[in-house]
Amino acid sequence: MKMKKVSSVLLAASLSVAGLSACSTGNKEVKGGAKNGVTTIEFWAAPNPTQQVYWKDVAEQFTKENPNIKVNVSPMKESPTSEASIQSAIAGGSAPTMSENINRGFAAQLADSKALVPLDELDGFDKVKENRNMENTMKGWQFADKHQYVLPIYSNAMLFGWRLDILKKLGFNEPPKTYSEMLAVAKKLKEKYPDKYVWAKADLADPTAWKRWFDFFMLYDAASEGNKFVEGTKFTGDKKAGEKVFDFVNDLRKSNALLTRQAKDPFETGLGIFTDIGPWTISYWADKFPNMKFNETYALSTPPVPDGMSTENVKTFADTKGIVIYASATKEQQKAAMKFINWVYSNPENDLKWLEKTNLPPARDDLATNDTFKSFFDKNPALQPYAAAVPNAIPPMDNAKYNDIQTYIGQYAFNPVVKGEKNSKTAWKDMKEAIEGALK
């Protein structure tokens, strides 16, 4: 996961799973199981070499200490998508015991078809949350039916990047934190550099579903203090917060601070001075844009908030995935899978190994304060703000129709506001009606 676009496309790809539960409990033999006193479980790792290396290593160590459980690690197929390969395996009766690489939207599809085990119903789940210090992180992962189907592995708490060098030329020593402060930056920018923009990003005018994670939801999660937007089959969006977000975007448009045409590397070249940044971008810059220096060329910040809101512990969107256990696994395999999960996450050193191999922040509340990770973040200071933001990061919605819903956000609201075609009240009303129609 070296670039945001690649990550997002993988996150967003999904197909319908209607009827899969009927197939997954058929008469086909479950792969693995108990033999000669050894329970074998199949673990599908993400189609990412660094993650596969990590899981094979910890599985080998676990089996040495627990010889009655064998963990077979193999990469999930990614053709046409990893989600499709999982759906095919479930339908064919060949699903693994467990897998990683699952986001909440896709998990909602699988849970609707009864293809997943509620983790909170398995012995040891509470122990995982306690030992890994992830109580706050897990709160945002509860599904509408009050169950937990996914244990998050990593949480890319998305932050906004600012061209600090340009801000300083405008007379600002740090990124703005509120809407009015950001509009003041926009005013100064257009006065001094009329050919530059605050937010230069073609995606702002594109209705593609996954793109809303990196503009609308970052702003909305901050303005609404983490409102879930959709819970089960009910639209629960915060109208006041949503309209404030749209008003703010419209104010940027009226300030000529938005650029929605295609431009090559707008942030890196300074055409735009503000954009969403994931932790994977840092290593990409080190290779492709060595002039991008943390706290010199650029700074990182949480999303701006409406005036009058606290600028502490600001919520943001989390690009995040986790582990699930499949309902087709035997009870013995489910028990063994939870024992494996507990073993991995009872020791923070395993999260450190994960962090060192992948640069993906472990989903734990103490990532920024636990001494286990201090040396890593001392060597990688640009990743420290991401660690601090993990407890305040909101995962994707747990609805099987998330692709449709997020398309409607762009189509009926966010994109028209960006283009100056709708005001905030009309945008919210049209979006709400479209989403409620999809949820029926």
Side-chain angles (χ1 to χ4, degrees), residues 292-304:
M292 300 297 289
K293 302 290 187 182
F294 180 57
N295 283 341
E296 293 181 22
T297 313
Y298 73 95
L300 297 169
S301 75
T302 52

Side-chain angles (χ1 to χ4, degrees), residues 77-352:
K77 296 178 182 178
E78 54 180 333
S79 179
T81 66
S82 57
E83 287 86 353
S85 70
I86 290 170
Q87 291 163 343
S88 178
I90 293 172
S94 58
T97 309
M98 59 196 300
S99 77
E100 62 164 336
N101 206 40
I102 305 296
N103 72 66
R104 287 179 85 239
F106 183 52
Q109 294 181 10
L110 297 177
D112 283 354
S113 63
K114 310 298 182 185
L116 298 181
V117 176
L119 299 178
D120 52 287
E121 293 184 351
L122 296 179
D123 289 341
F125 180 68
D126 288 338
K127 186 178 178 182
V128 174
K129 292 192 296 181
E130 179 183 355
N131 288 344
R132 202 188 187 202
N133 199 334
M134 58 188 309
E135 288 287 344
N136 289 336
T137 300
M138 283 303 303
K139 286 177 183 177
W141 282 78
Q142 188 178 70
F143 283 63
D145 63 3
K146 306 305 180 185
H147 284 302
Q148 299 275 16
Y149 293 97
V150 188
L151 181 82
I153 298 176
Y154 65 85
S155 181
N156 288 319
M158 294 299 298
L159 299 176
F160 279 111
W162 283 92
R163 283 297 300 261
L164 185 60
D165 52 348
I166 298 176
L167 281 178
K168 288 183 175 180
K169 291 178 181 178
L170 300 175
F172 301 95
N173 291 319
E174 62 180 15
K177 297 180 180 180
T178 66
Y179 289 176
S180 63
E181 290 176 359
M182 192 161 166
L183 291 169
V185 168
K187 185 174 184 295
K188 284 283 187 71
L189 179 70
K190 299 308 291 187
E191 289 173 352
K192 190 174 181 66
Y193 303 109
D195 293 332
K196 291 185 181 296
Y197 299 84
V198 173
W199 206 350
K201 189 178 182 185
D203 288 358
L204 298 173
D206 187 332
T208 303
W210 63 263
K211 296 182 179 183
R212 299 293 76 79
W213 283 323
F214 305 105
D215 46 42
F216 172 77
F217 273 110
M218 289 182 69
L219 296 173
Y220 176 78
D221 286 336
S224 67
E225 297 185 299
N227 170 264
K228 288 190 175 181
F229 199 72
V230 170
E231 296 187 61
T233 59
K234 185 178 180 182
F235 175 73
T236 58
D238 184 330
K239 180 174 182 286
K240 184 178 179 181
E243 289 184 353
K244 284 183 177 180
V245 169
F246 293 146
D247 279 334
F248 169 59
V249 173
N250 192 42
D251 286 341
L252 287 173
R253 179 194 64 81
K254 290 189 291 187
S255 300
N256 194 27
L258 301 180
L259 178 67
T260 60
R261 63 172 171 80
Q262 290 287 346
K264 183 174 175 59
D265 304 319
F267 186 75
E268 292 84 352
T269 60
L271 177 64
I273 66 169
F274 167 85
T275 195
D276 54 290
I277 301 293
W280 55 85
T281 308
I282 309 305
S283 56
Y284 168 70
W285 278 345
D287 182 41
K288 301 294 185 181
F289 295 94
N291 62 305
M292 300 297 289
K293 302 290 187 182
F294 180 57
N295 283 341
E296 293 181 22
T297 313
Y298 73 95
L300 297 169
S301 75
T302 52
V305 297
D307 292 7
M309 277 189 67
S310 171
T311 57
E312 300 293 325
N313 296 314
V314 174
K315 304 296 184 183
T316 188
F317 169 74
D319 170 21
T320 178
K321 289 186 177 181
I323 291 176
V324 298
I325 297 176
Y326 294 93
S328 55
T330 66
K331 295 298 181 183
E332 290 79 9
Q333 288 174 319
Q334 293 174 18
K335 183 178 179 180
M338 183 54 69
K339 186 171 183 178
F340 175 54
I341 291 172
N342 255 305
W343 182 89
V344 172
Y345 294 120
S346 64
N347 186 351
E349 290 291 337
N350 288 326
D351 268 332
L352 176 61

